[in-house]
Amino acid sequence: MPRMEYTAETHSTGGPGLFIFGRAEESGERLLTEYRGKVQLIYLDPPFGTGDAFEISRGPKGKKIKVPAYSDKMSDDSYMEMMKNVLELCRELMTSDGTLYLHVDYRMAAYLRVLLDEVFGKKNFVNEIIWAYRSGGRATKHFSRKHDNILVYRKGRSNYFNIEAVGIPRGPERRNHMKRHIDDTGRIYYSIRSGGKLYKYYEDSLIYPSDVWTDIEHLQQRDPERTGYSTQKPEALLRRIILSSSKEGDIVADLFSGSGTTAAAAQKLGRRWIAVDPSPAALMTLRKRLLDNNSDASLLKTAAGMDIEYLQTPASGKKPSITVQRTRTGFTVTPDDDSLAYMAVGRLEEGRFITETYDTSPLPGKKLTIANGRHAILVSDLYGNLSVWGNLD
């Protein structure tokens, strides 16, 4: 059974969305051909200029290995040139009333604010959101750095924004010594008199977020949402951004996909998504995360497809291997070692692997059974190396 050339994957679930395996600044030609002026919302969580290299822990308990996720060791000049190219691409992709959210921290916030003014125009600045959190250690030589900056820009004279979509009920908590009342319809409200005026606040009315977000916590190490990425952002953060700045069916893009949080949140909220990342760890994480999200699909939830395209070769080292054995009714496929992270059976058409059945957590000795027919097999190991065999018959 020979190894085959491949350029893309198609999955019947995990979408509706497109993941491009490649660098954001090199994806422009592919994206602009299909999506110029069509993306309603873009969220970017680029490297912060830390000078570090990041890893992700993968594998079964007791046998975990460290897999390179991404390097944040660019020079300042190279970083700014890359970000300028990405931001110019974003502007071309956005709808006329689209919005960009750029997530950074103290290292690059000032520099990127100037760059955003240059690319989008000062008049199109919307917000600087402060996301404050309590995780991490405590500094003794300066005030502890406990927030990130999210810079918000629009493309045109106005942008779509729905604050009511992210409001939360005021609730029964009293504020500023207000008095509790019940009106003629049975609704509870609180009142306070100030400057000769009476102010009423109903318990079931909505409170809207300001530009300081303290109610969304950083992910803890044992959070079930964790994928292994040290820089992973919580879905609650992306939910607020997506709900306020897009509608169901809109396209949401993330050109530094990383742990896949934007795509995961967009999928659950009925948005289409585009994600781009050059890391094999990001490819593995997103594929598993979104396919697993669809494992509870029912008659009330129509599954939608996901495409993965390769701008660069995903394999980077040793080719993962499997053993295929013929049976009376078909074949069995068995992983050869415990480094295999993903295994799928499908068919290969013009270089595109079309998935028919898959396993996002194959184990040594665990077998996939395939009926007689013409098949191809795709496998990925913990390091992100991919191989496709086909066509099996």
Side-chain angles (χ1 to χ4, degrees), residues 171-226:
E173 180 184 351
R174 292 193 180 189
R175 295 169 174 84
N176 299 327
H177 308 290
M178 292 188 289
K179 295 181 180 180
R180 184 178 184 273
H181 307 272
I182 301 177
D183 69 11
D184 294 339
T185 65
R187 292 177 67 198
I188 299 172
Y189 69 93
Y190 299 85
S191 69
I192 187 170
R193 189 173 295 277
S194 177
K197 293 183 178 180
L198 181 66
Y199 296 89
K200 293 182 179 180
Y201 301 93
Y202 279 86
E203 190 174 278
D204 58 357
S205 63
L206 296 178
I207 297 177
Y208 304 124
S210 70
D211 60 359
V212 179
W213 297 356
T214 59
D215 58 329
I216 299 176
E217 281 300 320
H218 210 279
L219 288 177
Q220 303 303 315
Q221 289 301 317
R222 296 184 181 275
D223 195 296
E225 198 178 302
R226 274 281 183 193

Side-chain angles (χ1 to χ4, degrees), residues 187-307:
R187 292 177 67 198
I188 299 172
Y189 69 93
Y190 299 85
S191 69
I192 187 170
R193 189 173 295 277
S194 177
K197 293 183 178 180
L198 181 66
Y199 296 89
K200 293 182 179 180
Y201 301 93
Y202 279 86
E203 190 174 278
D204 58 357
S205 63
L206 296 178
I207 297 177
Y208 304 124
S210 70
D211 60 359
V212 179
W213 297 356
T214 59
D215 58 329
I216 299 176
E217 281 300 320
H218 210 279
L219 288 177
Q220 303 303 315
Q221 289 301 317
R222 296 184 181 275
D223 195 296
E225 198 178 302
R226 274 281 183 193
T227 63
Y229 261 76
S230 60
T231 57
Q232 181 181 346
K233 303 303 184 294
E235 282 192 27
L237 185 74
L238 271 300
R239 277 183 59 86
R240 179 170 292 173
I241 291 170
I242 292 170
L243 284 170
S244 64
S245 296
S246 69
K247 304 178 293 294
E248 283 195 41
D250 282 345
I251 299 176
V252 175
D254 185 343
L255 306 191
F256 298 93
S257 177
S259 63
T261 298
T262 302
Q267 177 198 54
K268 293 176 181 178
L269 295 171
R271 274 68 168 170
R272 294 177 288 165
W273 55 264
I274 301 168
V276 180
D277 203 287
S279 167
L283 170 59
M284 286 190 299
T285 302
L286 178 133
R287 187 205 287 119
K288 175 176 172 57
R289 187 172 185 177
L290 271 67
L291 291 178
D292 287 348
N293 277 356
N294 274 278
S295 63
D296 61 350
S298 68
L299 293 175
L300 301 177
K301 179 180 177 183
T302 303
M306 167 176 61
D307 286 319

Side-chain angles (χ1 to χ4, degrees), residues 311-327:
L311 289 186
Q312 60 193 58
T313 304
S316 57
K318 176 186 174 183
K319 298 283 188 180
S321 61
I322 55 176
T323 297
V324 179
Q325 294 178 314
R326 181 176 288 278
T327 67

Side-chain angles (χ1 to χ4, degrees), residues 9-28:
E9 302 173 35
T10 293
H11 302 267
S12 60
T13 61
L18 168 68
F19 177 81
I20 295 178
F21 182 76
R23 297 187 178 280
E25 65 272 28
E26 297 172 358
S27 65

